[in-house]
Amino acid sequence: MASTTLMGGDLIQALTIHEGFERLATAIAPMVRTETLALEDALGRVLASPLISPIDVPAFRNSAMDGYALASPDLSGEPPYVLPVEGTSLAGHPMTEALSSGTAVRIFTGAALPDGADSIVVQEDTVRLDEGRVQINVRPSPARFVRPVGHDVAAEHELAARGATLDAFLIAAATTSGIERVNVFERPRVGVFATGDELREPGARLGPGEIYESNRRAIRMLLQGCPLDVVDLGILPDDEAATKAALASAGSEFDALVTSGGVSVGDADYVRQAIEARGSIDFWRLNLRPGKPFAFGRVGSSCYIFGLPGNPVSSIVTMLLLTRPALIALAGGNARLPSAFSAPLAESAQHEAGRDEYQRGRFVVQDGELRVTTYGDQSSNRLSSISGADCLFLLPGTQTHFEPGERVDVLPFRGLL
């Protein structure tokens, strides 16, 4: 892994969010260990092999509507036509005999067409007569309302490529194709640390200058549902030797580590030094607000490490934008930045020039249009500004003031989680 040159203890270049993501995507080698699971146990897992349908779906021609099946060449002249009804075809109970010339078969949605039939006339276009006859009031079109063999999926069709995540829709499609077991990547083991002498667990009595630690829990919750085996490794003290020892030990056991705090320039920020001592740093700073101090590298030869900022909002933002997508890529999934959409501002917004800023926002509707507005104090220590928000929106560092109606890139939380 290439490392940026250090100068005076600091990495020279602060990367944009896109540059940081590209560095992560290039550096991370996806998981290679695989296992085979029952399809019903594979929700959220990443395919290690393409998912191929072994059969045609459906395997027989069937009706898309309730009505009557017939052979259109048997009809001459203009409607109406009167035909004898010689049988019924139900879903799961098909008519096995071939259609006799000049007759019709009562058929229901999903039922197999009898041999010889090429058209369906919906029941609204018919009148049932006495003596087992039906009046057809329209001229049927061949193949109308007929689902052909393989109409949904053809045999040997690729349902999903290697690297796709098995969601409920894909599992339903695989089930329809009769697939029972799938080959998936094993879940990478991810250890989560927090750092800081001031941190205490909820339930403990707080002493002077102490706070309850929330970053580890937020990180674990943000990784729920990902194809990862996430383990809470507790709180590291502000001690250089202890931090180095803990990272070295965890680096031999886990595929990736996520830490929060200890990667800035303070005298008690030891995570970055510990990474340098036990491995290598690829980059350290982002040209981003919130989230400037963000370290990525390796501990040992095979464990990736993501050093998130200690401020809660900064930790969450860099988790959503960079760390979570990178860990999904490690699990064999497709690496991509979260998808944004453009929306106008409901009110003016401002920030300091120089760094791109993701502000916490809320959606509002003005004059029937969906807009976004800043929500709460944007200080990176204020969790209340993100717990009540709907989204993040980007204010580029090249501009300080934004007027109402100006369009910004918006990342809804529903699309990030």
Side-chain angles (χ1 to χ4, degrees), residues 331-398:
N334 299 316
R336 63 178 180 84
L337 280 167
S339 298
F341 71 91
S342 175
L345 288 168
E347 300 174 341
S348 62
Q350 48 276 323
H351 76 139
E352 295 180 11
R355 280 189 283 165
D356 291 346
E357 180 175 4
Y358 281 93
Q359 292 202 352
R360 284 79 79 194
R362 294 196 75 166
F363 293 117
V364 297
V365 176
Q366 289 183 344
D367 300 324
E369 183 180 33
L370 185 68
R371 296 183 175 228
V372 66
T373 186
T374 300
Y375 178 78
D377 186 311
Q378 296 294 301
S379 301
S380 60
N381 66 306
R382 291 179 61 92
L383 272 173
S384 58
S385 69
I386 201 165
S387 62
D390 299 322
C391 61
L392 301 173
F393 65 90
L394 175 62
L395 299 181
T398 54

Side-chain angles (χ1 to χ4, degrees), residues 4-15 282-285:
T4 305
T5 304
L6 289 170
M7 180 177 291
D10 290 344
L11 296 177
I12 295 172
Q13 185 181 14
L15 305 179
D282 186 87
F283 64 90
W284 170 58
R285 290 189 300 183

